[in-house]
Amino acid sequence: MGRVNVEEVFEAKLAKNDFIEPKDWMPENYRKHLIRQISQHAHSEILGMLPEGNWISRAPSLRAKLVLLAKVQDEGGHGLYLYTAAESLGISRDEMLNALLTGKAKYSSIFNYPTLSWADVGAVGWLVDGAAIMNQVMLQRSSYGPYSRAMVRICKEESFHQRQGYEIMTHLSFGTPEQKAMAQDALNRWWFPTLMMFGPPDRESPNSENALKWRIKRETNDQLRQRFVNQTVIQAEYLGLTIPDKGLVWNEAKKAYDFSEPDWAEFKNVIKGNGPCNKERLVSRNKSHKDGEWVRAAAAAYGKKQMEASLAA
Amino acid sequence: MTKQEALFNYTLRLGDTSLILAQRLSEWTGHGPFLEEDLALTNIALDIFGRAKSLLEYAAKVENKGKTEDDLAFFRNDREYFNALITEQPNGDYAKTILRQAFIDCFDLMFYTELSNTKDATLVGISQKSIKEITYHKRHSFSWVKRFGNGTEESLTRLQQGFDELWPFTGELFEMNEVDEVLLKDGLAVDLSRLKAVWEKEIGDLLNESHVQIPESTYIQTGSRKGLHSEHLGYILAEMQSLPRMHPTAKW
């Protein structure tokens, strides 16, 4: 029997669109790339609980409160599946958590922007979740099995969240003049940061090439960004809101909108840690983790005592 | 006091107690001691908000003045709120939050079980749904109290501290007034005096198992049945009601 070339098996699976599973051989760079991407994604879900959680206590109706609370809980649930998917690649949750708390790990920069009004809860659902879905729909077909399967479930919930966000925007846009102004203000502030969520332009995207080759990603940042703009313009028109971009114009030749680039200097600056809420978000995560330390210690000590008692019995 | 007035007040008492407790619990969302526990406590808050919504919907119907559950939640002042004082107490650390939950879960499971045998169809329906939820909540809070009591020295110290702060607010849960009298005559309310001994036994066993020292006698904080609250409720309402009050004609 000839020796099986593991690398060829891996390549053959990619070529056939088969999933790579945790016990399969995979190139070390593939593993590293996935750990980075999945853990960043998990961190983003967890950090994402904070800007929206900011409005739970002030949600303006009991229904809105229930919907928002359930949504924030879903984000936490997504974080949990994703941490589990990353663990299947041989990293522990403690290692990932530690990287987040010490500021070493990245997470989606969008959560470093503040939610200043109730309309921001709507805009986050409509735009931010909308952009996330563009990415995640693609990731449902990602080559790594556990990631792909986590995405299938996450996408279902995210599309629900996006509709809920749009529903809030609808109430506001067709509500009182003050409500409509609130909605427009939120769109003004969230539009460009949302476009940044797709990552740097293809000409400057350092990690894209491998991700495409390995079928972790299947479309480029710019392709996804274009699709998002095309889809969102009509939704804003229905609401009677104006997208804050004078360069936005329909291009008949490419059957798509032309639009202005986000301020990439701002993007880099927020990633570096200088966004409006980077520090607060990390301080908040660290505080919760530290405040919970004695709880985790108590649970561990109790568990140990129970175990010893059952062994002695 | 008419039967309708009594039923309105009674339903508000239950709805407000659920609403304010859930409002407090949801302060933990995104800040729990670890992710699984964050999700569990948020789930509990969701159940209790859901119950609050059903109860306030019913209260609005009983009042029959064309109001909605949101009108009741967002446009009443603290003197018109009848939630038990224990629910508005600050969360404190996780031991205090969990212990408050254990006190209330134990009470609620007995209370809603009894209420499901009364004669008001709507309250019976809400009770039946709540019993299933509270059974799970109680398992959660009781198991954590035991962990804290039998975990580390620090967790026991914190549990005792939480107990000392909360214990004076537990007696009020069993208080009855004219509202209860009016409704009890028609089999529409729960006789709270019948619950007290059972509650004390169950909680006493839990605390003993958890090494918490219970004082021989204690004073009782009271007032919520008359709409008299601690200083905390004003802040909770100021925050919770801010948006609807700022835009009173808006729909959300």
Side-chain angles (χ1 to χ4, degrees):
Chain A
M1 213 168 75
R3 268 185 59 196
V4 182
N5 183 330
V6 285
E7 195 155 356
E8 277 173 20
V9 173
F10 174 80
E11 294 292 344
K13 279 192 178 169
L14 288 186
K16 278 196 294 180
N17 270 334
D18 278 355
F19 286 131
I20 308 298
E21 296 297 338
K23 287 183 179 162
D24 294 345
W25 181 90
M26 60 188 84
E28 202 43 38
N29 285 342
Y30 174 88
R31 183 190 301 275
K32 275 193 190 144
H33 185 104
L34 274 170
I35 287 178
R36 186 179 56 82
Q37 183 169 331
I38 301 174
S39 62
Q40 278 181 14
H41 191 163
H43 298 328
S44 303
E45 298 281 358
I46 301 304
L47 263 292
M49 295 171 83
L50 298 175
E52 294 183 274
N54 182 39
W55 280 90
I56 292 169
S57 66
R58 293 175 291 168
S61 74
L62 293 179
R63 181 176 175 274
K65 202 187 270 291
L66 279 163
V67 168
L68 178 59
L69 191 57
K71 182 192 172 184
V72 175
Q73 190 198 27
D74 282 347
E75 310 292 1
H78 298 170
L80 198 55
Y81 318 144
L82 288 164
Y83 281 129
T84 311
E87 279 175 320
S88 72
L89 291 157
I91 186 170
S92 73
R93 195 150 127 204
D94 279 347
E95 285 174 83
M96 289 186 270
L97 207 55
N98 194 45
L100 174 66
L101 294 172
T102 54
K104 255 188 267 164
K106 296 271 182 282
Y107 56 88
S108 182
S109 269
I110 195 80
F111 301 120
N112 291 318
Y113 289 86
T115 51
L116 301 178
S117 80
W118 174 249
D120 290 33
V121 174
V124 167
W126 172 37
L127 300 173
V128 174
D129 290 335
I133 291 166
M134 290 273 157
N135 254 313
Q136 290 166 353
V137 164
M138 165 188 77
L139 293 171
Q140 290 183 87
R141 296 176 293 132
S142 162
S143 61
Y144 187 57
Y147 193 27
S148 161
R149 288 187 288 274
M151 276 309 143
V152 172
R153 180 159 175 193
I154 289 174
C155 274
K156 282 185 195 146
E157 294 179 349
E158 289 294 354
S159 63
F160 203 60
H161 296 166
Q162 194 201 9
R163 283 204 294 273
Q164 291 165 345
Y166 195 68
E167 189 195 18
I168 292 176
M169 295 306 277
T170 309
H171 284 306
L172 297 175
S173 300
F174 296 101
T176 66
E178 291 83 4
Q179 283 178 302
K180 183 157 188 184
M182 207 188 275
Q184 182 64 55
D185 178 56
L187 174 57
N188 292 349
R189 284 180 290 107
W190 288 93
W191 176 253
F192 281 111
T194 302
L195 293 189
M196 295 177 197
M197 283 176 69
F198 297 97
D202 293 350
R203 60 178 189 271
E204 292 170 19
S205 178
N207 297 312
S208 279
E209 198 183 323
N210 276 340
L212 289 165
K213 186 182 86 188
W214 288 323
R215 295 184 186 276
I216 293 173
K217 281 180 72 162
R218 316 207 109 182
E219 284 170 279
T220 71
N221 296 350
D222 286 338
Q223 284 169 338
L224 291 167
R225 191 164 16 243
Q226 178 72 61
R227 177 124 42 86
F228 175 79
V229 172
N230 290 349
Q231 171 189 294
T232 309
V233 171
I234 324 168
Q235 295 169 350
E237 278 170 4
Y238 172 78
L239 297 175
L241 299 178
T242 309
I243 289 183
D245 177 7
K246 291 205 172 73
L248 185 83
V249 56
W250 177 254
N251 181 331
E252 185 58 33
K254 70 171 187 183
K255 298 279 179 211
Y257 283 94
D258 290 333
F259 55 95
S260 308
E261 289 210 29
D263 178 353
W264 293 116
E266 175 182 321
F267 176 72
K268 284 176 192 152
N269 202 28
V270 177
I271 287 186
K272 262 192 236 156
N274 302 324
C277 300
N278 295 57
K279 290 198 178 61
E280 272 175 61
R281 301 289 186 241
L282 266 195
V283 165
S284 169
R285 268 310 335 139
N286 272 290
K287 181 177 187 306
S288 308
H289 186 73
K290 193 161 178 292
D291 289 349
E293 204 168 335
W294 69 268
V295 177
R296 299 188 297 275
Y302 180 76
K304 192 162 169 261
K305 284 179 200 171
Q306 294 291 102
M307 178 79 87
E308 284 163 1
S310 78
L311 287 175
Chain B
M1 183 179 279
T2 66
K3 198 162 85 179
Q4 186 212 10
E5 284 164 352
L7 187 59
F8 176 55
N9 183 280
Y10 195 71
T11 312
L12 280 183
R13 188 200 288 176
L14 304 182
D16 292 349
T17 292
S18 299
L19 179 59
I20 300 302
L21 177 63
Q23 179 79 3
R24 275 295 191 213
L25 286 176
S26 65
E27 289 172 20
W28 278 103
T29 299
H31 308 283
F34 54 96
L35 187 50
E36 285 82 348
E37 198 47 30
D38 199 314
L39 298 179
L41 205 69
T42 302
N43 221 35
I44 293 168
L46 271 168
D47 286 343
I48 301 175
F49 269 130
R51 193 197 314 155
K53 186 169 182 293
S54 305
L55 286 163
L56 291 179
E57 249 171 55
Y58 185 50
K61 201 173 152 200
V62 171
E63 190 191 24
N64 200 20
K65 287 186 179 168
K67 288 187 194 163
T68 66
E69 69 270 26
D70 286 334
D71 294 329
L72 290 176
F74 296 99
F75 293 95
R76 275 181 303 144
N77 297 322
D78 58 333
R79 291 300 311 273
E80 300 160 296
Y81 259 78
F82 298 98
N83 61 288
L85 295 177
I86 193 169
T87 59
E88 70 202 38
Q89 298 313 302
N91 285 338
D93 61 15
Y94 210 60
K96 187 178 172 189
T97 296
I98 286 291
L99 189 61
R100 180 183 60 201
Q101 201 54 34
F103 288 157
I104 296 174
D105 291 340
C106 186
F107 175 86
D108 276 353
L109 188 56
M110 292 190 297
F111 177 83
Y112 284 101
T113 304
E114 291 290 318
L115 194 66
S116 72
N117 295 319
T118 55
K119 289 181 180 157
D120 183 290
T122 307
L123 291 181
V124 167
I126 295 171
S127 301
Q128 284 165 343
K129 181 168 183 284
S130 301
I131 290 166
K132 289 182 203 144
E133 296 168 349
I134 300 164
T135 304
Y136 155 75
H137 302 169
K138 185 179 165 191
R139 203 181 306 146
H140 176 264
S141 60
F142 271 47
S143 72
W144 272 106
V145 170
K146 285 179 207 165
R147 278 191 195 104
F148 291 150
N150 298 280
T152 61
E153 206 174 305
E154 179 177 4
S155 65
L156 177 58
T157 308
R158 287 175 180 271
L159 186 64
Q160 182 70 52
Q161 172 86 30
F163 172 85
D164 294 342
E165 288 170 25
L166 289 169
W167 190 241
F169 294 101
T170 54
E172 192 203 38
L173 293 170
F174 303 94
E175 281 183 348
M176 294 198 283
N177 60 12
E178 195 191 347
V179 170
D180 302 72
E181 280 168 34
V182 170
L183 296 176
L184 275 169
K185 274 184 216 147
D186 290 311
L188 294 169
V190 174
D191 183 352
L192 297 176
S193 64
R194 286 178 43 218
L195 304 184
K196 195 162 191 219
V198 190
W199 184 89
E200 280 174 349
K201 170 81 172 71
E202 261 202 69
I203 288 294
D205 288 348
L206 174 70
L207 294 172
N208 280 332
E209 217 183 309
S210 309
H211 313 288
V212 172
Q213 306 298 317
I214 311 172
E216 291 280 317
S217 66
T218 187
Y219 61 97
I220 285 178
Q221 294 291 358
T222 175
S224 77
R225 300 284 194 252
K226 295 180 201 151
L228 281 168
H229 291 272
S230 60
E231 290 176 344
H232 306 295
L233 186 64
Y235 288 93
I236 294 176
L237 295 184
E239 189 173 338
M240 185 176 84
Q241 299 178 334
S242 58
L243 210 42
R245 295 234 185 198
M246 223 184 289
H247 304 274
T249 61
K251 301 247 180 311
W252 307 93

